[in-house]
Amino acid sequence: MKKRVITLFTALLLGVAYVGYAQESRNLQYFRSAGKPGVNVFETPKEDTIAFEHINVRVGGDFAIQFQALNQQNNGDSLADLGSNFNLPTANLDIDVQLHDGVRMHLRTYLSARHHQEAWVKGGYIQMDKLDFIRTGFLNGLMNIATIKIGLDEFNYGDAHFRRTDNARAIYNPFVGNYIMDAFSTEVFGEVTLQHNGWLSVVGLTNGKLNQNVVINQNSDNQPSFYGKLGYDDYVSDELRVRLTGSWYINQGTTTGTYLYGGDRGGGRYYKVMQTVSGAGSDFEGRFNPAFKAISAFQINPFVKYQGLEFFGIYEVASNADDQGGGFFTQLAGELLYRFGPDEQLYAGGRYNTVSGEMLEGSPVMNIQRLSLGAGWFLTENILAKFEYVTQTYDGAGWQNTKYAGGKFDGLVIEAVVGF
């Protein structure tokens, strides 16, 4: 028995050593790098620069913790008093496997999240940049520009999801918070991306479900979601990069359209904001989900980077079907950063984000404004420290007789991030 335990332990050590060797000595194909090298990467690149030798397993992860010092208020003086303290840390576990030449698997597990303290699988997908497993050179001309993704994970609507914090993966986000209308959901999906000479297009389909269920009377009107993207992304000169994309998302099912801005089960980034003294509130406060039952949305994203100066923007409109009462919301956001230092390891900047609209056609207007001022320091390519001042306000007649009437929170948040 003792020998068996020693043998098993030795095999485990050898396995860990092999995985570590595989990670350090070989890169994955068509992969967005973890840490600072992945900043400002959107769709995975199509450069075929890494030769496939054998199955390669990469084990990575993320860790994030914040020190939060926020205050809040509303007209009814019904919000809880917030103290200054550390939040519960969040953590991710990533497994990426190069299964074949041009075929890669991704799996992410939330080890700890604000909304779910226990470990659970966020999702995963298979990505195919070559079809040589069918026959060597099969559809080479097409696959030189095409990427196919199939799985249950986040899908490629808009560009903001490439810069957002995904539970503990906060290293790509220059600020602590995500956007107010946070377009992110995990659904069963399939999508095809084409990239050629800077031009890109995406066509995709999801089954419209966040939580998968085969019971008919619990999803009686389930409808698929259709989405896509068109854009251009290239270097105009050695120092100037320009990207402009437009995305759309359509779902006409009255039990499935609510997920586009409410599909992140990790929870909001500012803890306990807008929670009342009695405890009323959710883990998703601070952001806004219009929860339209039959939703149509489009998002336009400009991105410009000249030397160290960087701008990213959002113009987004989400609307409800007329037979569901109408209603629409418009989101605007502008983010201006300056990255500096020998390797641009330091940055400072601001983000302004507004959401305005009406829940039903002709109903009172609801407004939310947020201003974030922040700075960050990449201590290494895989360690980031952030500092942010944030202020968010709620106004408009649509908030009357709710806890959001005259609502406001503001203060400082410091975040430490590891991503590898």
Side-chain angles (χ1 to χ4, degrees):
M1 184 65 168
K2 184 177 180 181
K3 288 184 177 179
R4 185 177 300 174
V5 172
I6 292 174
T7 302
L8 182 60
F9 184 68
T10 303
L12 179 62
L13 288 178
L14 289 173
V16 171
Y18 173 76
V19 170
Y21 170 75
Q23 292 185 99
E24 292 177 0
S25 61
R26 300 178 181 86
N27 294 319
L28 299 177
Q29 296 177 318
Y30 310 102
F31 181 70
R32 182 185 187 182
S33 298
K36 185 173 176 291
V39 171
N40 290 334
V41 175
F42 296 86
E43 290 78 17
T44 53
K46 283 300 297 181
E47 287 82 3
D48 186 12
T49 58
I50 300 172
F52 174 78
E53 297 180 10
H54 49 67
I55 290 180
N56 182 17
V57 179
R58 180 187 185 279
V59 178
D62 304 281
F63 177 86
I65 186 171
Q66 308 86 29
F67 180 84
Q68 180 176 294
L70 298 179
N71 301 298
Q72 60 182 352
Q73 64 186 50
N74 66 0
N75 287 346
D77 196 26
S78 62
L79 299 180
D81 291 330
L82 300 180
S84 300
N85 205 343
F86 289 94
N87 293 325
L88 178 72
T90 53
N92 296 350
L93 172 65
D94 290 340
I95 299 177
D96 294 278
V97 185
Q98 194 73 50
L99 298 168
H100 195 274
D101 193 10
V103 180
R104 179 168 58 80
M105 183 206 79
H106 168 76
L107 176 68
R108 172 162 292 162
T109 299
Y110 290 167
L111 297 178
S112 173
R114 178 186 175 190
H115 187 55
H116 284 279
Q117 287 77 32
E118 73 281 5
W120 52 283
V121 175
K122 170 218 171 183
Y125 58 81
I126 292 286
Q127 177 173 318
M128 293 175 282
D129 288 276
K130 295 182 182 179
L131 299 177
D132 288 5
F133 60 89
I134 298 176
R135 187 180 67 248
T136 301
F138 185 73
L139 294 181
N140 256 1
L142 173 62
M143 297 309 296
N144 284 338
I145 63 172
T147 298
I148 302 170
K149 278 188 178 181
I150 302 171
L152 195 163
D153 205 84
E154 66 183 273
F155 47 88
N156 191 3
Y157 163 76
D159 284 352
H161 73 102
F162 292 113
R163 298 170 68 88
R164 72 184 297 280
T165 294
D166 182 13
N167 194 42
R169 190 208 64 188
I171 205 157
Y172 302 141
N173 185 351
F175 296 92
V176 175
N178 294 325
Y179 293 93
I180 298 172
M181 282 206 321
D182 187 13
F184 178 91
S185 183
T186 54
E187 303 171 10
V188 173
F189 77 100
E191 67 184 35
V192 178
T193 303
L194 303 179
Q195 300 180 76
H196 183 61
N197 289 338
W199 296 98
L200 67 96
S201 63
V202 179
V203 175
L205 173 71
T206 87
N207 74 339
K209 293 182 181 181
L210 177 69
N211 296 313
Q212 306 305 309
N213 195 327
V214 296
V215 179
I216 292 177
N217 63 7
Q218 294 181 18
N219 293 279
S220 57
D221 69 336
N222 182 66
Q223 298 291 330
S225 301
F226 301 91
Y227 65 95
K229 178 185 293 188
L230 293 172
Y232 182 81
D233 183 356
D234 206 354
Y235 283 88
V236 178
S237 67
D238 291 341
E239 297 181 328
L240 176 61
R241 178 184 174 187
V242 175
R243 177 182 171 99
L244 179 65
T245 66
S247 304
W248 66 91
Y249 175 95
I250 301 172
N251 187 293
Q252 299 302 314
T254 59
T255 63
T256 53
T258 61
Y259 296 134
L260 179 61
Y261 303 104
D264 177 18
R265 290 165 290 176
R269 301 302 298 164
Y270 303 112
Y271 286 51
K272 303 300 182 180
V273 297
M274 306 312 295
Q275 177 177 300
T276 66
V277 174
S278 63
S282 77
D283 292 336
F284 305 95
E285 297 282 7
R287 63 193 195 191
F288 177 72
N289 178 13
F292 291 146
K293 291 186 175 181
I295 191 171
S296 297
F298 70 87
Q299 183 179 128
I300 296 174
N301 301 113
F303 172 75
V304 179
K305 181 170 171 52
Y306 176 70
Q307 296 181 353
L309 191 63
E310 176 180 312
F311 174 81
F312 178 78
I314 297 177
Y315 173 75
E316 184 171 26
V317 175
S319 58
N320 201 9
D322 291 339
D323 61 0
Q324 296 297 318
F328 75 96
F329 280 88
T330 300
Q331 174 167 237
L332 299 173
E335 183 178 298
L336 187 65
L337 297 174
Y338 183 68
R339 299 184 186 271
F340 57 99
D343 299 307
E344 293 190 352
Q345 73 271 29
L346 302 167
Y347 66 83
R351 175 197 287 168
Y352 184 64
N353 187 190
T354 68
V355 169
S356 179
E358 53 191 39
M359 291 300 299
L360 297 171
E361 185 176 358
S363 64
V365 173
M366 306 161 73
N367 298 303
I368 308 173
Q369 301 88 29
R370 180 191 294 168
L371 173 66
S372 301
L373 302 174
W377 175 25
F378 281 93
L379 285 73
T380 74
E381 287 190 347
N382 303 100
I383 304 174
L384 172 63
K386 305 180 197 176
F387 173 90
E388 177 184 289
Y389 168 78
V390 60
T391 177
Q392 180 164 315
T393 59
Y394 299 78
D395 60 64
W399 298 117
Q400 287 184 357
N401 302 317
T402 74
K403 67 178 181 180
Y404 301 104
K408 176 182 179 179
F409 66 85
D410 64 349
L412 303 176
V413 185
I414 301 172
E415 184 171 50
V417 181
V418 177
F420 60 95

